[in-house]
Amino acid sequence: MIVIYHNPNCSKSRESLEILETSKEDIQIIKYLDETLKVEKLRKIVKLLNIKPIELVRQDETLWKENFQHLEFSDEELIEVMTNYPQLIERPIVINGDKAVIGRPPTKILDIL
């Protein structure tokens, strides 16, 4: 089953979901703004993506710029910030087994189908 961490208000997330829906795969849609991710789950996602937590932060978000960008965070602290402020998480995140990508651009998800 393919999992998409989805924000319906995001055009890239909607485009990624369209790609998945045409793939004939079973899809689990998680609206991560409604279903807040736990720290352990976000840790696993970061590991699957093979990135540093800062690479998952939407650094152009006003919330980030006004409240966090001037501060220093450990990787673990960044994960906690993202779980407390899920709007800072880059989207969409698509996971297929042990593979994961951030769907920017949306066609990037084709790499893991």
Side-chain angles (χ1 to χ4, degrees), residues 1-105:
M1 175 173 297
I2 296 174
V3 177
I4 180 170
Y5 290 88
H6 178 58
N7 178 348
N9 296 321
C10 171
S11 64
K12 301 298 183 205
S13 195
R14 289 191 310 268
E15 288 174 42
S16 295
L17 184 56
E18 283 181 32
I19 291 170
L20 290 175
E21 288 174 340
T22 62
S23 74
K24 308 282 192 236
E25 300 282 341
D26 288 333
I27 305 166
Q28 178 183 7
I29 301 168
I30 298 173
K31 294 180 183 175
Y32 68 93
L33 294 177
D34 298 335
E35 301 175 37
T36 305
L37 295 171
K38 304 281 189 253
V39 169
E40 183 59 34
K41 181 56 121 177
L42 196 53
R43 255 192 233 123
K44 288 178 183 178
I45 290 170
V46 168
K47 187 173 182 171
L48 278 175
L49 288 166
N50 196 29
I51 61 174
K52 291 284 197 182
I54 191 65
E55 295 174 73
L56 192 56
V57 173
R58 295 177 54 82
Q59 296 180 49
D60 287 336
E61 283 288 321
T62 303
L63 176 66
W64 177 259
K65 288 179 180 179
E66 291 178 355
N67 298 288
F68 301 108
Q69 83 173 5
H70 60 284
L71 302 173
E72 293 285 326
F73 293 102
S74 68
D75 287 351
E76 191 61 29
E77 290 169 333
L78 270 175
I79 288 172
E80 288 182 31
V81 168
M82 286 186 282
T83 59
N84 290 322
Y85 301 94
Q87 63 271 38
L88 293 177
I89 299 172
E90 190 61 79
R91 63 198 179 242
I93 301 167
V94 179
I95 300 173
N96 186 5
D98 62 353
K99 300 176 201 161
V101 295
I102 298 170
R104 291 192 167 270

